[in-house]
């Protein structure tokens, strides 16, 4: 599985949003950008992923519009996104990902450690 595959990116983003929910960290754009850039995700692909995550009920709080045909635009900020109960269950019910999540949450002393671990996942 490539580092920019949908499921890999979704997992990394959900881990970050879950850390924000658990108050392990507060959302920081630079940390979020580190996760997506290390995964090789460009802005347009990221918006598509975020919209699909919201459509699947994994996150909430974002608003999108389309302009210039099919160009997706985020209204507001990605910091408005929050993980949902469904997103948490996605992390917990996915067997392999559940082990990775437990490791990341238990072993990361700081959010930088969490971000680095998530960003290094290939």
């Amino acid at each position: 599985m490539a580092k920019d595959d949908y499921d890999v990116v979704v997992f990394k983003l959900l881990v970050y949003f879950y850390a924000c929910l658990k108050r392990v960290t507060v959302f920081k754009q630079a940390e979020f950008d580190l996760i997506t850039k290390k995964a090789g995700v460009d802005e347009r692909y990221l918006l598509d992923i975020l919209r699909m995550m919201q459509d699947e009920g994994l996150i909430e709080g974002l608003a999108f519009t389309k302009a210039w045909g099919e160009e997706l635009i985020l209204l507001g900020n990605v910091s408005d996104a929050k993980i949902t109960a469904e997103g948490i269950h996605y992390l917990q019910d996915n067997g392999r990902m559940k082990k990775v999540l437990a490791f990341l949450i238990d072993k990361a002393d700081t959010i930088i450690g969490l971000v680095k671990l998530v960003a290094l996942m290939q």
Side-chain angles (χ1 to χ4, degrees):
M1 194 175 289
K3 64 183 178 179
D4 66 347
D5 281 351
Y6 176 78
D7 287 327
V8 173
V9 176
V10 167
F11 177 75
K12 290 177 181 181
L13 295 178
L14 286 177
V15 167
Y16 187 72
F17 290 136
Y18 193 34
C20 293
L21 175 70
K22 291 182 76 171
R23 308 309 192 267
V24 173
T25 188
V26 294
F27 184 92
K28 294 179 182 130
Q29 190 65 49
E31 293 171 349
F32 184 84
D33 292 344
L34 177 63
I35 294 168
T36 58
K37 288 179 182 168
K38 285 291 254 184
V41 177
D42 73 20
E43 185 177 343
R44 290 177 59 200
Y45 181 42
L46 176 61
L47 291 179
D48 288 335
I49 289 172
L50 289 170
R51 190 189 67 189
M52 287 187 273
M53 288 173 69
Q54 186 158 285
D55 289 349
E56 291 179 51
L58 303 176
I59 60 172
E60 63 185 8
L62 300 178
F64 300 92
T65 191
K66 288 188 178 182
W68 305 286
E70 294 300 309
E71 186 72 23
L72 196 61
I73 297 174
L74 176 64
L75 303 174
N77 297 306
V78 71
S79 63
D80 296 331
K82 306 288 182 240
I83 192 169
T84 64
E86 185 67 28
I88 295 167
H89 295 147
Y90 174 90
L91 289 172
Q92 294 174 341
D93 293 340
N94 187 330
R96 186 172 62 163
M97 296 302 170
K98 181 179 178 181
K99 290 178 185 177
V100 173
L101 174 64
F103 173 79
L104 292 175
I105 296 297
D106 290 341
K107 301 298 180 189
D109 291 330
T110 66
I111 191 57
I112 293 299
L114 175 67
V115 171
K116 286 179 181 177
L117 286 171
V118 170
L120 291 175
M121 292 172 50
Q122 301 291 330

